[in-house]
Amino acid sequence: MAGHSQFKNIMYRKGAQDKKRGKIFTKIIRELTTSARISSDPDANPRLRQAIIAARNANMPKDTMERAIKRGAGGEDTADYVEVRYEGYGPGGVAVIVEALTDNRNRTAGEVRAAFTKYGGNLGETNSVSFMFDRVGIIRYPKSNINYETLFETALEAGAHDIHTLDGKYEIECTLEEFASVRDALMAKFGDPESAELIWKPQTTTPIDEEKASTLLKLIDILEDNDDVQTVFSNFEISDEVMEKLASGT
């Protein structure tokens, strides 16, 4: 199991769904408000369009989404959020990238550093691990009702360079530069995707054993639970056997 934490489906984390949903909404609202400062028109603002897709897929109420956009566009939100990236190594020497949107760099840096330290990791300098990743766009559609050949042709013509079929989904991959054009071409043909995002894709993965995997997943949980943290990426690889053990608690 490769290590982009946004996609991992850890069976043992079943509790506190309402709390988790609230955390997701907090992060999306922050992104909606921040991106709306550029422009409240999603057609002219790719970042806002991306945030709206995320809000819809999280089943965020329409009025909540519209209020967040209005706050950002009207300058009602006085918090000055800035994008910050933290990089370091987790248990087992795996590379970890943390993307945050914060109004207090010192607070966020302190909390991220504390999480790394608590779980046997080390926070490094910017670019200390990102050279081991590629920045790519990923757009996902459910396989149902979409013809592969049609999707393949549309994606290829728009500039995509790879399409995977995974867990009942089509996953279209493109470069950072082509992301907006590929996403918009697919949306014009097939409607809203299940998700559309920029990720840090590991060039290679690092296998870790059960003990290191358990500690690493705790680190990622703590990071993802932080309101300032938007996304966490890593290059870990956990075998199915180890995942089953972690899921069963044995």
Side-chain angles (χ1 to χ4, degrees), residues 217-236:
L217 294 177
K218 288 175 185 175
L219 167 61
I220 290 173
D221 275 344
I222 290 294
L223 290 170
E224 289 183 336
D225 200 46
N226 188 313
D227 285 344
D228 294 337
V229 173
Q230 294 295 91
T231 47
V232 182
F233 302 92
S234 182
N235 66 348
F236 67 86

Side-chain angles (χ1 to χ4, degrees), residues 102-245:
T102 179
D103 60 349
N104 187 324
R105 284 173 177 259
N106 290 335
R107 177 193 66 223
T108 308
E111 291 173 350
V112 170
R113 187 179 299 280
F116 271 81
T117 301
K118 182 176 181 179
Y119 292 102
N122 292 289
L123 198 60
E125 300 296 325
T126 303
N127 300 320
S128 60
V129 304
S130 57
F131 69 91
M132 294 185 279
F133 295 75
D134 294 319
R135 190 68 163 156
V136 300
I138 297 288
I139 302 138
R140 295 180 189 82
Y141 279 94
K143 285 179 67 177
S144 56
N145 303 321
I146 295 182
N147 177 267
Y148 176 81
E149 293 301 328
T150 307
L151 178 76
F152 182 84
E153 289 176 12
T154 305
L156 202 64
E157 286 176 9
H161 59 73
D162 212 348
I163 299 177
H164 311 280
T165 302
L166 186 68
D167 296 332
K169 298 178 180 63
Y170 293 124
E171 191 172 278
I172 300 95
E173 183 178 320
C174 57
T175 64
L176 169 65
E177 294 75 19
E178 300 288 351
F179 175 64
S181 60
V182 172
R183 179 200 60 206
D184 292 351
L186 291 171
M187 286 179 67
K189 186 80 172 178
F190 304 108
D192 277 359
E194 194 170 277
S195 63
E197 59 189 337
L198 292 168
I199 70 164
W200 290 95
K201 180 184 176 182
Q203 296 164 0
T204 58
T205 54
T206 301
I208 51 175
D209 60 24
E210 184 179 348
E211 181 186 353
K212 293 290 194 298
S214 176
T215 307
L216 175 66
L217 294 177
K218 288 175 185 175
L219 167 61
I220 290 173
D221 275 344
I222 290 294
L223 290 170
E224 289 183 336
D225 200 46
N226 188 313
D227 285 344
D228 294 337
V229 173
Q230 294 295 91
T231 47
V232 182
F233 302 92
S234 182
N235 66 348
F236 67 86
E237 183 177 331
I238 303 175
S239 70
D240 292 340
E241 180 185 359
V242 169
M243 283 306 303
E244 286 170 10
K245 286 182 179 180

